[in-house]
Each structure stands twice: as structure tokens, then as C-alpha cells.
């Protein structure tokens, strides 16, 4: 059944994407070249609609709890509508943000999806979030939605990174015996892989905010469904799974603070921009980031089976590697090298 769901979603996405591309041109959902873009011609966007339609149809075919999952689906529909509106009309940040909060509120308040507590390492007590449960859960969902959206800068990048994250989530869900999370993850994987046939470099269509926001929403919700109300270690697992987009978003905020720019300001200094500036080709950059995402996914699986001390050592090692990598490629700016300078200072005679 699981493989069948993946294949059906994959084939539907391959079939629907060309029609969505034609619809995008008719509705004016196109992406024009500018100084921040890496493409040189007008491209149809809103391709995420094909991912969503493939997901929705396959979901209806392979799940038997439609009404029970209405909060998930209604939240996804709101995200899709916000994404389509942005791809057509280029919405300002405020209505997009409000739409994301509304979708999160639906899955949290109507669907009952909340992180209510975690068990702390080295302690016998649990940390109860109380009234903060709802805002913390909403913050997580909105943050992941925007993290996926921020890395959508190269052909196939957001789709591939999201697929790798979903493969990790599906794998861990199967290990835990959570068939619902595994099924939904595999349906989205199939839908995204079918779309990537047209979106990988050189792309024929972009997923736009329609796709990036939807993938971020689904990943955020599935990660909570699979890892909520458990140990601190398990709470860190989805953060590791999404290491690439979370790191890129985190250092984008640091970069703008260091450079005294508004946090919401757009720039051309994200991870993929830095790698291209170092001389990597478009395709090489995407494949390298895929490899990084796969490493994070593998680390998350290893992390989930590690002892407490093993997990702490793994996280510490990951943070050091990320920091060195960020400083090497100049993700904040060329002068931001505190760790490298410290290591260089210690190596001096």
C-alpha cells in the first residue's frame, strides 16, 4: 500500500504538472528575471499546485479517515490559496504571514496538534509548556514553512531538500510503526518527485510559494505528529532533519543583524548563492546541498538511537561542523570567522 501510494502520487504529479504550467501562464503566475534571480527568461511558477493536487487525490485514495484529517487538509488548502495568491499577485509579507498563522491555528486548535511537554535529559521531571504550548507549536509550523520557502532559490533545490527530509521522517515513522505519518510522507514524496522531473535544472516550471509553503507546512506538521511530547532528544530530531533550511534561515537572520539590515530584507547571500559564488555550477550546488541534507537526515536517524551522551556528542559535533562550514563559505559575511580565527590563533607558535 505504501509503495502504491508513492507511485500513484508520482504518476499524477507527472501528468498534472504540464497543465498547471499552462494555467500559471494564463493566470499571470510567472517569474521574471531580475538581479536576485538565477534564471534568464520568464518562467511559470505556482507549480506547487500540481504537488498539492497529486497529494490530495492520492490521500483520498489511500487513507480512510478523511473527516478525521480535515484540520490537516483545511490547513493545507489555506496554505495553497495563500501561495497561489502570492505567485499571481506578489503579496506583501503581512498577509502571507497571517495566512500561515491561520493554517497553523487550524491544525493546532481544531486538529489538537500541540507540543505540551518534553522530558528533560538528566532529570526525572518533565517540562510542561502549559499556556505556551499553542504559541510554541504555531511558531514551529510557521518557522519551518518560511525556512523551506527561503531555500527555494535554485531549480529543484527546495523540492529535493524537502524530499530528503520527508524520506527521513517516513523512515523514522516506519521504525516507530506510525503508518499514518509514513503514508502521508510517502504521498508527498511521490508528488514532489514527479514535479522534480520538470523542476530540476534546467527547470521548465517553478513550484513558487504555492509549493514551498505547502511543503514547509506538511513537513512541519508531520515532524510534530511523529515526535511530539517525548524526550528532549526526540524533540531535536526534526531540527536535525531540517538542518539545511533551518541553518540557512538562522544565519540569514544573523547576517542581516551583523550587516544592520531588516530581518525581512531579501538578499543574494543564502547558502546556494555562496556556493555558486565559490565557483560551483547550478547543478553542482543543488547536488551538494542534497548531500548535506542527506547527511543531516542520516544524523537524525543515528541520533534517535544514540545514548544520551552519544546524542550530546553528535549534536556538539554537528554544531561545530556547521559553524566551520558557514565561516568557510562566508554565509554571514567574509569577515565573520570567529571560530576559524580562534583556531588559527591557537595554532600560532
Amino acid at each position: 500500500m505504501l509503495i502504491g501510494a508513492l507511485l500513484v502520487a508520482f504518476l499524477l504529479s507527472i501528468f498534472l504538472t504540464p497543465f498547471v504550467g499552462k494555467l500559471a501562464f494564463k493566470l499571470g503566475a510567472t517569474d521574471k528575471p531580475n538581479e536576485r534571480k538565477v534564471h534568464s527568461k520568464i518562467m511559470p511558477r505556482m507549480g506547487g499546485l500540481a504537488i498539492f493536487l497529486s497529494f490530495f487525490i492520492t490521500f483520498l485514495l489511500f487513507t480512510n479517515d478523511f473527516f478525521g484529517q480535515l484540520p490537516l487538509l483545511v490547513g493545507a488548502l489555506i496554505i495553497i490559496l495563500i501561495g497561489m495568491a502570492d505567485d499571481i499577485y506578489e503579496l506583501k509579507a503581512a498577509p502571507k504571514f497571517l495566512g500561515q498563522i491561520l493554517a497553523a491555528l487550524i491544525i493546532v486548535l481544531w486538529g489538537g496538534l500541540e507540543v505540551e511537554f518534553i522530558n528533560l535529559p538528566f532529570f526525572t521531571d518533565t517540562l510542561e509548556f502549559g499556556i505556551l504550548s499553542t504559541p510554541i507549536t504555531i511558531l514551529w509550523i510557521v518557522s519551518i514553512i518560511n525556512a523551506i520557502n527561503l531555500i527555494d532559490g535554485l531549480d529543484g533545490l527546495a523540492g529535493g531538500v524537502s524530499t530528503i527530509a520527508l524520506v527521513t521522517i517516513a523512515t523514522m515513522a516506519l521504525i516507530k510503526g506510525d503508518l499514518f505519518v509514513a503514508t502521508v510522507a510517502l504521498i508527498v514524496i511521490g508528488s514532489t518527485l514527479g514535479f522534480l522531473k520538470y523542476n530540476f535544472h534546467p527547470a521548465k516550471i517553478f513550484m513558487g510559494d504555492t509549493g514551498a509553503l505547502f511543503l514547509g507546512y506538511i513537513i512541519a506538521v508531520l515532524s510534530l505528529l511523529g515526535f511530539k511530547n517525548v524526550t528532549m532528544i526526540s524533540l531535536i530530531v526534526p531540527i536535525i532533519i531540517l538542518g539545511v533550511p533551518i541553518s540557512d534561515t538562522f544565519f540569514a537572520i544573523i547576517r542581516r543583524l551583523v550587516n544592520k539590515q531588516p530581518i525581512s530584507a531579501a538578499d543574494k547571500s543564502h547558502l546556494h548563492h555562496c556556493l555558486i559564488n565559490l565557483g560551483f555550477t547550478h547543478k553542482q550546488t543543488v547536488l551538494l546541498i542534497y548531500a548535506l541534507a542527506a547527511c543531516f537526515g542520516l544524523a537524525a536517524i543515528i541520533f534517535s538511537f544514540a545514548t544520551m551522551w552519544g546524542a550530546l556528542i553528535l549534536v556538539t559535533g554537528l554544531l561545530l561542523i556547521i559553524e566551520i562550514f558557514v565561516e568557510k563559505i562566508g554565509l554571514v559575511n567574509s569577515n565573520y570567522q570567529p571560530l576559524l580565527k580562534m583556531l588559527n590563533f591557537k595554532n600560532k607558535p
Side-chain angles (χ1 to χ4, degrees):
M1 185 182 100
L2 294 177
I3 299 302
L6 187 149
L7 288 175
V8 169
F10 175 73
L11 293 173
L12 278 171
S13 186
I14 288 177
F15 173 74
L16 291 171
T17 299
F19 293 99
V20 170
K22 293 176 182 177
L23 178 64
F25 273 119
K26 288 183 179 180
L27 295 177
T30 56
D31 205 324
K32 300 175 179 63
N34 62 34
E35 67 279 358
R36 288 187 58 245
K37 306 292 176 64
V38 296
H39 60 283
S40 57
K41 63 179 182 179
I42 296 177
M43 296 284 290
R45 54 188 179 190
M46 204 177 78
L49 180 60
I51 298 175
F52 171 73
L53 291 175
S54 304
F55 157 77
F56 183 72
I57 294 169
T58 311
F59 185 91
L60 294 180
L61 292 173
F62 284 86
T63 60
N64 53 14
D65 188 23
F66 174 77
F67 292 104
Q69 298 305 324
L70 270 179
L72 169 68
L73 297 174
V74 172
L77 180 60
I78 290 172
I79 286 293
I80 287 295
L81 293 175
I82 288 292
M84 289 176 64
D86 186 57
D87 286 337
I88 297 170
Y89 302 110
E90 297 188 4
L91 300 178
K92 292 185 178 180
K96 287 171 61 177
F97 185 65
L98 289 174
Q100 294 167 21
I101 292 177
L102 177 59
L105 279 170
I106 286 172
I107 190 66
V108 171
L109 299 182
W110 182 13
L113 179 66
E114 284 189 274
V115 180
E116 297 173 351
F117 66 88
I118 55 172
N119 295 318
L120 297 173
F122 309 115
F123 294 94
T124 56
D125 295 334
T126 60
L127 176 61
E128 300 279 351
F129 291 130
I131 60 172
L132 295 178
S133 295
T134 296
I136 286 173
T137 308
I138 290 172
L139 177 63
W140 167 262
I141 294 171
V142 172
S143 298
I144 299 306
I145 288 172
N146 285 284
I148 298 298
N149 197 28
L150 278 177
I151 64 166
D152 185 25
L154 295 179
D155 298 352
L157 183 56
V161 170
S162 297
T163 298
I164 292 167
L166 287 162
V167 167
T168 308
I169 291 172
T171 300
M172 298 186 70
L174 287 172
I175 292 171
K176 293 178 60 181
D178 192 333
L179 287 180
F180 176 77
V181 170
T183 301
V184 174
L186 286 169
I187 290 172
V188 183
I189 289 167
S191 302
T192 309
L193 288 176
F195 175 76
L196 279 173
K197 178 183 183 299
Y198 305 94
N199 183 238
F200 196 75
H201 187 70
K204 299 179 179 66
I205 184 172
F206 296 154
M207 68 168 59
D209 273 26
T210 310
L213 299 184
F214 171 68
L215 289 175
Y217 168 80
I218 286 292
I219 290 170
V221 170
L222 290 183
S223 65
L224 287 182
L225 284 172
F227 308 108
K228 68 171 185 172
N229 294 342
V230 282
T231 64
M232 178 69 82
I233 287 181
S234 296
L235 189 67
I236 295 171
V237 167
I239 297 175
I240 298 176
I241 291 172
L242 296 162
V244 169
I246 288 176
S247 299
D248 195 26
T249 303
F250 174 77
F251 285 104
I253 294 170
I254 298 297
R255 178 172 64 250
R256 287 157 192 170
L257 291 175
V258 169
N259 298 331
K260 298 180 180 179
Q261 296 175 329
I263 290 178
S264 60
D267 60 27
K268 206 170 182 179
S269 300
H270 287 284
L271 174 60
H272 51 279
H273 295 126
C274 291
L275 292 174
I276 286 177
N277 291 338
L278 289 174
F280 291 100
T281 65
H282 189 126
K283 190 174 290 186
Q284 287 172 339
T285 299
V286 171
L287 292 175
L288 180 57
I289 296 175
Y290 283 3
L292 289 173
C295 289
F296 276 109
L298 181 60
I301 293 172
I302 294 171
F303 182 89
S304 65
F305 290 103
T307 62
M308 183 63 66
W309 286 107
L312 290 173
I313 292 170
L314 180 60
V315 168
T316 303
L318 277 174
L319 291 175
L320 287 172
I321 292 169
I322 291 169
E323 179 63 25
I324 291 171
F325 181 73
V326 164
E327 293 180 19
K328 279 283 188 182
I329 67 172
L331 191 57
V332 175
N333 60 43
S334 57
N335 296 318
Y336 177 80
Q337 295 183 327
L339 187 57
L340 289 175
K341 288 177 181 177
M342 183 179 72
L343 292 173
N344 187 50
F345 174 77
K346 288 188 175 181
N347 288 333
K348 287 183 180 179

